Amino acid sequence: FEFCTMSQFNHTVTSGKYEVQVVPALSDNYMYMLIDKASRTAAVVDPVEPEKLVQHAQQQGVTITTVLTTHNHWDHAGGNNKLKGILPDVHIYGGAGDNAEGVQTELSDQQQLEFGSLKITTLYTPCHTPGHVCFFVDPEDGTPPSVFTGDTLFVGGCGNFNSGTPQMMTAAFLKLAALPADTLVWVGHEYTAANFQYCSFVEPSNTLVAEKAAWVQQQRSQGNATVPSLMAEEVETNPFMRAAQAVPSVMAHTGAQEPWQAMKFVREEKSNGSWKSK
């Protein structure tokens, strides 16, 4: 992958089968509307402010049939019951053992949902919560697929290990890294500017980090979202992904022998914040 100009960090769905629309919520959350163009139906991801999505669906002329819940935290699952109250026919999916609000069907790893003309596959990524899941959508038409990563993978970052171990988050990141390089990455929060400050600290000589950091600043200064990212970019810039993959520069930074140890180091270092004054 060659990234030369700032615009190369701008990505869009090019499939004729589906589209993804970003609907901001709360202070920095992202809800998503996944639209199957053939049936004009929509699946919504983490609908914490359901009224916004219902209104958006009406404007788009689509029917919400499905809720995809990445995890049980209130800022992701807290709108499920309210949405069900407005639209009683929706079916709410979540992750196995996550016990998220309103979930009717819990899914484990590699389960497939038929949604209109699309197949949605679950990736079981427990750590941030006991049953966190990511949702992978492959249009199977030669165009880039999409993955909704909740609070596991952020653009340039990683969720806290609230219910798991560094080994678990390492396994989750390797599962995501195994997706096609052109996969569009749709994350749970707009944390990218702060994340890229840390990316730059870990790998000051990574030119792609420097280029994307500049793009992120430009996007945020204009009030624009930094989603979607690209899995290829996460593999090349995200210190947590690079720890999981034992990239030498990140292993050297952490002094770790094993990927999980490097993951533990970068999570603890980023969280304690003392790197900001170095």
Side-chain angles (χ1 to χ4, degrees), residues 15-125:
S15 175
K17 290 177 71 173
Y18 80 103
E19 58 186 288
V20 175
Q21 297 181 357
V22 182
V23 183
L26 307 177
S27 60
D28 55 29
N29 279 69
Y30 287 131
M31 306 183 290
Y32 296 102
M33 187 170 283
L34 169 68
I35 297 172
D36 173 57
K37 291 185 177 182
S39 61
R40 300 304 293 165
T41 54
V44 292
V45 180
D46 294 347
V48 62
E49 293 191 67
E51 302 93 339
K52 278 189 184 176
L53 289 167
V54 170
Q55 185 181 11
H56 189 72
Q58 287 168 344
Q59 289 166 351
Q60 300 291 315
V62 298
T63 304
I64 298 171
T65 62
T66 305
V67 175
L68 303 174
T69 309
T70 62
H71 66 293
N72 65 30
H73 289 163
W74 76 269
D75 60 321
H76 296 263
N80 283 358
N81 287 339
K82 188 184 263 189
L83 182 62
K84 186 85 170 163
I86 303 168
L87 302 172
D89 293 338
V90 298
H91 196 89
I92 304 175
Y93 295 93
D98 213 45
N99 207 26
E101 177 182 305
V103 168
Q104 296 162 271
T105 305
E106 288 194 337
L107 303 166
S108 52
D109 200 38
Q110 298 295 320
Q111 287 195 257
Q112 286 204 335
L113 302 178
E114 301 287 330
F115 165 65
S117 66
L118 299 168
K119 278 198 195 77
I120 300 172
T121 306
T122 52
L123 300 170
Y124 198 53
T125 53

Side-chain angles (χ1 to χ4, degrees), residues 254-272:
T254 64
Q257 299 300 307
E258 299 292 331
W260 72 265
Q261 294 168 326
M263 178 68 87
K264 181 174 190 283
F265 183 98
V266 288
R267 181 64 275 168
E268 289 175 354
E269 181 179 63
K270 182 171 190 291
S271 294
N272 80 31

Side-chain angles (χ1 to χ4, degrees), residues 97-173:
D98 213 45
N99 207 26
E101 177 182 305
V103 168
Q104 296 162 271
T105 305
E106 288 194 337
L107 303 166
S108 52
D109 200 38
Q110 298 295 320
Q111 287 195 257
Q112 286 204 335
L113 302 178
E114 301 287 330
F115 165 65
S117 66
L118 299 168
K119 278 198 195 77
I120 300 172
T121 306
T122 52
L123 300 170
Y124 198 53
T125 53
C127 183
H128 184 68
T129 62
H132 191 295
V133 276
C134 302
F135 297 98
F136 178 69
V137 183
D138 188 350
E140 297 177 329
D141 61 3
T143 68
S146 283
V147 66
F148 299 91
T149 60
D151 286 4
T152 291
L153 171 66
F154 295 122
V155 182
C158 175
N160 288 316
F161 307 170
N162 299 312
S163 303
T165 63
Q167 289 94 330
M168 288 166 73
M169 195 59 93
T170 300
F173 268 58

Side-chain angles (χ1 to χ4, degrees), residues 150-206:
D151 286 4
T152 291
L153 171 66
F154 295 122
V155 182
C158 175
N160 288 316
F161 307 170
N162 299 312
S163 303
T165 63
Q167 289 94 330
M168 288 166 73
M169 195 59 93
T170 300
F173 268 58
L174 291 175
K175 204 174 273 190
L176 290 165
L179 296 175
D182 64 349
T183 301
L184 300 164
V185 178
W186 308 88
V187 306
H189 291 268
E190 183 55 68
Y191 290 163
T192 312
N195 288 344
F196 264 81
Q197 292 177 343
Y198 183 64
C199 297
S200 303
F201 173 74
V202 175
E203 291 191 278
S205 57
N206 182 327

